Amino acid sequence: MSLRVNTFTKVMGLIVMLLIPIIVLYWFSNRTSLDVVMNEVEKSMYKDLSYFAAKTDETASQLAKSGLIISEDINVRNLEFIEIASLYEQTDEKLRVNDKLRLINASSAWDTTISIYAPATKTFVSTNTYLEYNANLVDSNYSRVWKYTNVVAPYYRGQPRFVRFITEPFDSTARKAGLIVEVSFAADELVKALDRFKQGGKGDASFVSEDYQILSVKNSDKELQSALLSQVELKSLSQQQYDRVKLDGVEYTVSSVWMPELGWYLFDYLPIDDVVRPITTNSLLFYISIFFLLIGSTIAAYVLYTNVQVPIRELVRGVKKLKKGEYPKLNVFRPNNEFHFLLVSFNDMAAQIETLIQNVYLETIRSRDANLKQLQSQINPHFLYNCFTLIRSLTRLGKKESVMDLALHLSRYYRYTTRSEKQSAFLREELDLVQSYLAIQSMNVQDLRFSIEVPEAMAELELPRLILQPLVENAVIHGIEPLGEGDIRIIGSQNDRYNIISVTDNGIGVSDEKLQQLRQQMSMPPTEDKGCALWNTRQRMLLQFGQEAGLRILQRDEGGVAVELYWPNEPDFVREAAASIAAAAEAHANSRKSKGE
């Protein structure tokens, strides 16, 4: 599984690493394109809006100038003194003024109404013949600049208008003026201009007053306009030309232009998504293509994995097991390529190696490796370091005799453990080693007590070298040291069938789960993350005394653990060797008899 994950993940990682720069580069290019397009759109929108606002303001300015020109016309000024003329002259003068008003009105792009009133003579002339002079309306609407009002003459049926007054003298009030010129036009004229502007493919522009009154075309989204206006400050917006506003998850670009003549703002907005939709559509197609490319690459990598990597993984698994001393039979795939031959050949080779090792070398190699591992495991550098530290401490305390005893036991211990000329030893030699080891440990663990109770009849029995010391060391380290005190007993016994050496302690003991793990470790070959002392001990007993020998771990009712080594009084291999020797001797005697010797 690890190999599969590593290889397959590496292939997929390589594909992703190749796609990531492409996606990042495309994203950066796409983002740059969006920014450039939006900047150009915003500049173009503001430019068009500024042009339309300037044309509208210019028209309003021309109307205001027309009113000023009219107020200075000689015929219009004569209306202030028309009452001294005859009726014919009065009528002729009014007609002359009316013609001039109509001429000026005809030159205007908007439907404008120009009215003149001379209070002194109560003379009223207007381009709209249906109007009559109303002083109250003049007072309520009087303004020297353009004013938006709903208070209009009945003829206009309440339709809002923009009005502006010019007086003579110029700075007089409506009540004191000798001549009043009123110029007005319907607010619908601005709406019509907006409609023409919108038909040119623009956004949804509208006129907005300083107090946020809105003039827009009929099909405008007035709710959206109001919502966007509530998010911006028109004066600041007109100074920075354009800005972006996010509303209900949709981003808009908004722009505003101030019209000083009318005293209104021209406001426009445009959803950014409408502008960049072609670019975002292309981006979506690109990302979809990348997604399907990734899927296709994954499928291709998986096909490559199943046809190449799976057989390779099977071969690697077999090599690893072969390295551990196992001889597996690999699964044979049939991918119609060379791997079928390799797998079959590997199975044949593994079977041949297993047969060869089992028949010729297995017992010798396992025996030598078990002894070598056991010997190496005994030369524990930490134990040596601890002994040196203990010698130093005892020396400081002036305990000369203890230092001498410790040095003596340590020399005996390492003299014995480093001897490797024989693979077996007498039980008494093993007990001497254990006694030296326990004597050293009793100096380190002050309340450690030990006893050795082995019959003399067992002293000359032969055992694998260093077979007892690991068991005693486990008892000290794992049983007694955690408590700081305890007893260790080494007891030997015999019965009709077996010899038994028991190492017991009254230490912390083990749980049932831990005991089960230890028993499992004894029957399983060691791994890199699992100790091998118990397995080695059991294997060495089996190699020397046959399948009837072994090692067992028991929990004691009094507390602690008992570890027993047991082996038959007459091992199987001894009986087999004796039988073989007897048979060979008999065959040799028969051969000599047949030769007459």
Side-chain angles (χ1 to χ4, degrees), residues 345-521:
S345 299
F346 183 90
N347 286 339
D348 294 342
M349 179 188 69
Q352 292 174 7
I353 292 175
E354 182 180 17
T355 301
L356 179 63
I357 291 178
Q358 285 180 350
N359 293 340
V360 182
Y361 300 110
L362 181 60
E363 293 297 328
T364 303
I365 292 176
R366 290 177 65 183
S367 176
R368 184 188 63 188
D369 288 347
N371 279 282
L372 181 59
K373 290 179 181 178
Q374 184 64 25
L375 289 171
Q376 291 174 345
S377 67
Q378 303 311 311
I379 306 175
N380 189 336
H382 294 289
F383 174 71
L384 181 60
Y385 300 154
N386 291 338
C387 290
F388 286 150
T389 302
L390 183 57
I391 290 173
R392 185 178 180 183
S393 300
L394 293 173
T395 304
R396 284 182 177 179
L397 296 174
K399 297 183 178 181
K400 180 179 179 181
E401 295 297 327
S402 298
V403 172
M404 293 177 64
D405 290 341
L406 178 58
L408 178 62
H409 289 301
L410 187 62
S411 65
R412 289 177 178 175
Y413 177 87
Y414 276 100
R415 185 182 298 111
Y416 184 83
T417 57
T418 54
R419 287 169 55 191
S420 59
E421 66 273 13
K422 291 178 61 180
Q423 294 186 1
S424 61
F426 295 111
L427 178 57
R428 57 178 171 78
E429 295 176 333
E430 287 290 299
L431 293 176
D432 290 341
L433 173 68
V434 169
Q435 186 169 9
S436 295
Y437 175 82
L438 289 174
I440 294 171
Q441 290 290 10
S442 65
M443 295 181 187
N444 187 31
V445 182
Q446 294 183 357
D447 292 327
L448 172 64
R449 297 171 296 275
F450 63 92
S451 62
I452 300 176
E453 304 169 13
V454 178
E456 286 294 330
M458 297 179 65
E460 299 303 319
L461 295 177
E462 286 193 358
L463 290 171
R465 279 175 51 79
L466 299 171
I467 199 72
L468 284 179
Q469 195 274 340
L471 306 182
V472 176
E473 184 176 0
N474 283 340
V476 172
I477 294 175
H478 301 294
I480 303 303
E481 277 192 355
L483 295 178
E485 64 174 353
D487 298 320
I488 292 179
R489 297 181 62 194
I490 302 173
I491 303 172
S493 62
Q494 290 179 303
N495 55 35
D496 295 337
R497 184 62 176 164
Y498 290 98
N499 301 310
I500 301 172
I501 298 293
S502 176
V503 180
T504 65
D505 66 81
N506 58 352
I508 61 173
V510 294
S511 63
D512 293 338
E513 182 179 358
K514 181 64 176 178
L515 182 61
Q516 186 64 28
Q517 290 179 358
L518 292 174
R519 289 172 176 171
Q520 186 176 5
Q521 287 180 9

Side-chain angles (χ1 to χ4, degrees), residues 287-336:
Y287 291 127
I288 291 175
S289 301
I290 289 294
F291 174 74
F292 282 109
L293 178 61
L294 183 61
I295 291 179
S297 302
T298 304
I299 294 174
Y302 182 75
V303 171
L304 181 65
Y305 162 74
T306 55
N307 285 274
V308 176
Q309 190 56 47
V310 169
I312 292 178
R313 184 189 67 187
E314 191 69 14
L315 283 172
V316 171
R317 183 180 67 85
V319 170
K320 286 183 177 180
K321 287 192 174 183
L322 193 64
K323 185 178 179 181
K324 294 178 181 179
E326 301 177 18
Y327 306 94
K329 185 175 183 180
L330 302 184
N331 297 320
V332 179
F333 303 96
R334 300 185 181 276
N336 297 323

